[in-house]
Every structure is written in structure tokens, then in C-alpha cells.
Amino acid sequence: EATPLKMTTAEGGGGSCSRDVECGWYHPSAMAADRRDLPSGNGARCLVGHCVCANSFESKYGCPHCSVQLRASFSYDEGIAVTTKVRGKHHKLIDLCDFQSGGASCEVGHCVRDQDNKTLECPGDRFCDSAGSGGGVCIGADGERGICVCGHGYFCSDCSLHESDILNGAHCDLYITG
């Protein structure tokens, strides 16, 4: 008799947070007078100080801060697994949850706002976007310390590496930018 196909699912959420934007990722087109009030780019929520992933239909998220979209993979030993692991350089399995996604402390500075008082940019964004391609933003009150929040697919505490960099063997804090 054939063994039935098994399907396992990774769990996500549980990371500590104080605002929704700290769970999931920053959506570059979302705007607010105070960036701390922005929603998560993937629908994750901060409830009672912990991230709760928004898992609906085929979109499911993993890692403590709901920062990685789960992918289906197949192996003859384990069947179908929905996981945060991907194949990187030299076919090595890499768990994207092993890489931090934001959280570095940054100096927000005095933010530039539009006529509707929506935040356009803050001086601290440069620290959280060292890759220079919308990797992250500095979230916090004007003139105070904030934290880096990464865009979709960006990793490290300062949002400096894209998923493709990690798959090609890069590691947080072991590179030179600029």
C-alpha cells in the first residue's frame, strides 16, 4: 500500500512588536503623518505586543515577524512542506528566518512632509536603505531614535541585503556597500 502524501506547514508570528508596521514589511506606497501608524505591507498585525501573521488563501507568512512568504517544496522523505527555506548558491538550503529583517536603531531626524502632512522622507532613511533601492525606512517620532523597518524581500537589521544577495551567499554585516 502506498504511503499517503504528508504536508507540513511552518508557523509564523510571535515576534515582539509595538506597532503593525513592525510585522511583515514596509509598503513603499503607504503614507501617513506618523510612519509608526502605517499598516504592515502584508496584512500582519501587532496584537498584545506580538506579531500575528495574516494567513489567507495561498498567501501564508513565516518567521517571528511574518517577514517571509512561505513556499511549497517537495522531498521524497517529507512530502510537501510549506517552508521559509529556499535553495541558494550551490543548492544549499537557506532558512530566511535565520536572517533578521529590520530592527536596527536609527536617528529619525526631522522628516519632510507633503501638503497633507504625510511623511515623504526622513534623514534616518539613509541608514535603513544603504542598498539605495528602497530597502527600508527609519520609523519613529521626529528628532528621536527609531528602528529600521525593511521593505519586501530585504533583510539584516539595517535592511541592507536583498533576498537575492542572501541566496548568492551574502551574510549580514559581512559586506561593504557604497
Side-chain angles (χ1 to χ4, degrees):
E1 183 177 308
T3 306
L5 189 62
K6 298 183 295 182
M7 184 166 176
T8 58
T9 305
E11 295 294 322
S16 64
C17 59
S18 59
R19 306 275 183 142
D20 288 347
V21 73
E22 297 171 28
C23 303
W25 53 76
Y26 162 74
H27 194 287
S29 63
M31 295 183 75
D34 186 341
R35 286 181 174 170
R36 294 174 295 176
D37 295 333
L38 290 172
S40 167
N42 67 1
R45 301 291 309 266
C46 181
L47 300 173
V48 197
H50 297 282
C51 291
V52 176
C53 303
N55 293 323
S56 59
F57 305 107
E58 70 278 351
S59 295
K60 301 204 181 300
Y61 301 93
C63 305
H65 287 93
C66 310
S67 56
V68 175
Q69 187 164 3
L70 299 175
R71 298 164 170 105
S73 68
F74 175 79
S75 77
Y76 288 104
D77 295 334
E78 298 178 22
I80 298 173
V82 182
T83 181
T84 57
K85 294 179 182 175
V86 292
R87 293 227 177 262
K89 193 174 186 178
H90 307 298
H91 304 285
K92 179 182 172 189
L93 269 180
I94 299 169
D95 189 346
L96 294 174
C97 288
D98 291 342
F99 293 86
Q100 189 172 346
S101 183
S105 179
C106 54
E107 185 64 42
V108 177
H110 293 285
C111 302
V112 176
R113 292 182 167 72
D114 67 8
Q115 67 275 11
D116 297 322
N117 201 33
K118 306 281 186 192
T119 304
L120 300 175
E121 65 180 350
C122 300
D125 294 348
R126 285 178 286 217
F127 176 77
C128 303
D129 187 23
S130 61
S133 57
V137 294
C138 184
I139 303 246
D142 279 17
E144 294 183 11
R145 303 247 2 125
I147 63 164
C148 291
V149 175
C150 298
H152 183 233
Y154 285 88
F155 295 88
C156 303
S157 64
D158 62 354
C159 310
S160 54
L161 292 181
H162 190 268
E163 181 178 328
S164 60
D165 300 321
I166 291 169
L167 296 180
N168 282 312
H171 293 278
C172 297
D173 302 322
L174 297 176
Y175 56 88
I176 298 172
T177 61

